[in-house]
Amino acid sequence: RTRAGIPDRYLKFDWTTWQGPQPQMFEAWRQHRDEPLYIHGPNHGGKTHAATALLVELIDQGIWCVWASVLQLQQRLIDELSGNERPLWSKLRRCDVLLLDDVSAVALSPADVGQKRWAVEQIESLIDERYQAGKALIATSNKAPEVFHGENTRIAVRLCGGVRVAMGTRHRMAA
């Protein structure tokens, strides 16, 4: 799990610690992993927990998965801007399943320029590349597809055109 990049805080997340809707709600995506899975709902609604539990399920089946926070990914890209080698980037492109947590953080404002704009464009390119290749992609967002679509049409079309799961109220992890 740590090799997949799952942060320490989330290492214990799996279906045994899940108290939200049944894991069967992801069955449609399990059958069609070439389509993106877009999990959306309110803050603290269990999106990251459910997505991580699904990722752990796949890891336990021997599938190469990578977990990435979009906010941290943006900063890491900016930090690596001066260098040519980006081993993480290669891993994000090649893995069997990529989980992008908090993908709505990709939105740009018209005032964004320079390094942030470049980093967002790189993430958009990664999403587009995986979509075109039919590589599995799980994304979490606190924004409904319609809202996200208005902010970043190119990415929303890629992410929200597949399987969508709406999370409801706040979920707690089982003790």
Side-chain angles (χ1 to χ4, degrees):
R1 294 177 186 186
T2 55
R3 292 186 65 205
I6 299 173
D8 291 345
R9 175 181 177 84
Y10 304 133
L11 284 176
K12 59 188 172 277
F13 286 7
D14 61 22
W15 293 128
T16 65
T17 61
W18 175 244
Q19 291 188 336
Q22 295 302 310
Q24 293 84 350
M25 64 194 250
F26 298 102
E27 194 57 39
W29 184 78
R30 286 184 185 99
Q31 301 302 316
H32 304 282
R33 287 199 313 240
D34 59 331
E35 294 292 326
L37 171 60
Y38 186 77
I39 304 170
H40 63 95
N43 291 336
H44 305 289
K47 302 174 298 292
T48 299
H49 191 147
T52 303
L54 185 57
L55 204 70
V56 166
E57 173 188 318
L58 297 170
I59 290 168
D60 289 347
Q61 294 172 18
I63 297 171
W64 182 23
C65 302
V66 175
W67 193 105
S69 160
V70 169
L71 289 172
Q72 291 172 351
L73 189 56
Q74 281 180 343
Q75 188 56 52
R76 188 149 177 199
L77 281 167
I78 290 168
D79 292 345
E80 295 178 356
L81 186 58
S82 59
N84 292 328
E85 187 175 341
R86 295 200 311 244
L88 172 66
W89 209 242
S90 175
K91 188 165 72 167
L92 297 174
R93 285 193 160 101
R94 294 182 301 121
C95 65
D96 297 321
V97 180
L98 174 61
L99 188 159
L100 289 176
D101 191 44
D102 199 13
V103 74
S104 53
V106 166
L108 279 174
S109 73
D112 288 330
V113 294
Q115 293 178 332
K116 182 178 180 192
R117 178 168 292 283
W118 176 83
V120 168
E121 288 170 353
Q122 296 304 302
I123 293 168
E124 289 174 340
S125 175
L126 171 68
I127 292 169
D128 186 59
E129 183 178 320
R130 290 190 65 86
Y131 177 84
Q132 295 297 338
K135 288 187 161 260
L137 182 62
I138 301 169
T140 68
S141 174
N142 63 345
K143 296 183 180 177
E146 305 75 36
V147 174
F148 188 43
H149 193 276
E151 294 176 357
N152 193 326
T153 303
R154 181 169 39 162
I155 297 308
V157 166
R158 299 291 190 245
L159 294 177
C160 303
V163 178
R164 299 179 191 179
V165 174
M167 304 297 286
T169 58
R170 183 183 182 110
H171 293 288
R172 288 262 180 218
M173 196 168 67

